[in-house]
C-alpha cells in the first residue's frame, strides 16, 4: 500500500470510529475483518486498489481507491435498538457515509470522496445466529500536497 493510500486508510478509520457507541449501538470498527469475539453491530472496512495518476515527468498526481464499508448486526442487537437488522444496518451505514463525507481528513489534498455503489445484503449463520451484513463502496481520490 502506498503512503497516500495508508494515509487514506487512517483517515477512513478515524472518520468511522468517531462517536462509536453513541448512535445505533455501534460497538467498533475493524480493518479487513472482525475478531471472532466481536460484539454486534460493528463495521468492517477494506480497500480495493484503484488507479495511480502520474504527470509526464513521473510526478505523482494522485491515487484513487475504492473502500468497502460493511455493517454487521444480528437480530438480538437490532431488537434491543427497536429495529430490524436491516433497518439497523441502514442507519449505521447512513451514519458511516455521513462521517466519511464530512469528517474524512488526510495528509494530502482530498479531491473526491463519494459513495459510488452498494454492497447487497447477505445473511450468514454464525454460531447458530443469523448475521446480517450490507454496505457500500466509497471512492476516495487524493493528491499529494
Amino acid at each position: 500500500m502506498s503512503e497516500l493510500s495508508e494515509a487514506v486508510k487512517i483517515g477512513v478509520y478515524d472518520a468511522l470510529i468517531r462517536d462509536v457507541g453513541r448512535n445505533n449501538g455501534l460497538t467498533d470498527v475493524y480493518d479487513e475483518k472482525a475478531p471472532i469475539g466481536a460484539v454486534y453491530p460493528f463495521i468492517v472496512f477494506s480497500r480495493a486498489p484503484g488507479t495511480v495518476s502520474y504527470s509526464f515527468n513521473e510526478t505523482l498526481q494522485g491515487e484513487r481507491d475504492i473502500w468497502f464499508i460493511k455493517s454487521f448486526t444480528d437480530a438480538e442487537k437490532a431488537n434491543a435498538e427497536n429495529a430490524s437488522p436491516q433497518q439497523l444496518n441502514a442507519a449505521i451505514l447512513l451514519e458511516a457515509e455521513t462521517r466519511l463525507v464530512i469528517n474524512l481528513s488526510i495528509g494530502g489534498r482530498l479531491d473526491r470522496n463519494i459513495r459510488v455503489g452498494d454492497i447487497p445484503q447477505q445473511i450468514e449463520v454464525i454460531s447458530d445466529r443469523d448475521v446480517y451484513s450490507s454496505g457500500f463502496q466509497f471512492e476516495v481520490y487524493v493528491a499529494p500536497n
Side-chain angles (χ1 to χ4, degrees), residues 3-142:
E3 188 176 318
L4 273 179
S5 290
E6 187 66 35
V8 173
K9 175 182 170 182
I10 292 167
V12 167
Y13 177 80
D14 288 346
L16 291 173
I17 199 71
R18 280 195 188 148
D19 300 325
V20 165
R22 285 187 169 183
N23 299 316
N24 308 309
L26 185 64
T27 60
D28 215 334
V29 176
Y30 301 103
D31 178 23
E32 298 288 330
K33 69 178 197 172
I36 291 174
V39 177
Y40 297 101
F42 56 82
I43 290 176
V44 173
F45 72 100
S46 60
R47 171 185 168 263
T51 56
V52 179
S53 303
Y54 292 96
S55 64
F56 291 112
N57 62 358
E58 298 301 317
T59 301
L60 178 64
Q61 295 298 305
E63 293 185 19
R64 174 191 167 269
D65 291 326
I66 301 294
W67 293 85
F68 296 91
I69 314 296
K70 289 183 77 175
S71 173
F72 292 81
T73 196
D74 63 356
E76 182 180 330
K77 185 59 180 183
N79 289 335
E81 297 290 326
N82 296 316
S84 70
Q86 295 87 344
Q87 290 170 323
L88 183 56
N89 276 343
I92 290 169
L93 293 172
L94 178 61
E95 179 79 18
E97 181 182 4
T98 302
R99 290 178 188 180
L100 287 170
V101 169
I102 295 172
N103 298 331
L104 185 59
S105 176
I106 53 167
R109 186 181 76 237
L110 186 61
D111 284 345
R112 180 175 167 89
N113 62 326
I114 188 169
R115 182 178 183 152
V116 292
D118 292 325
I119 300 170
Q121 174 181 278
Q122 294 180 325
I123 303 172
E124 303 173 67
V125 178
I126 300 175
S127 300
D128 296 334
R129 176 180 286 188
D130 288 343
V131 174
Y132 299 79
S133 66
S134 57
F136 61 89
Q137 299 165 1
F138 195 79
E139 178 185 349
V140 177
Y141 184 85
V142 63

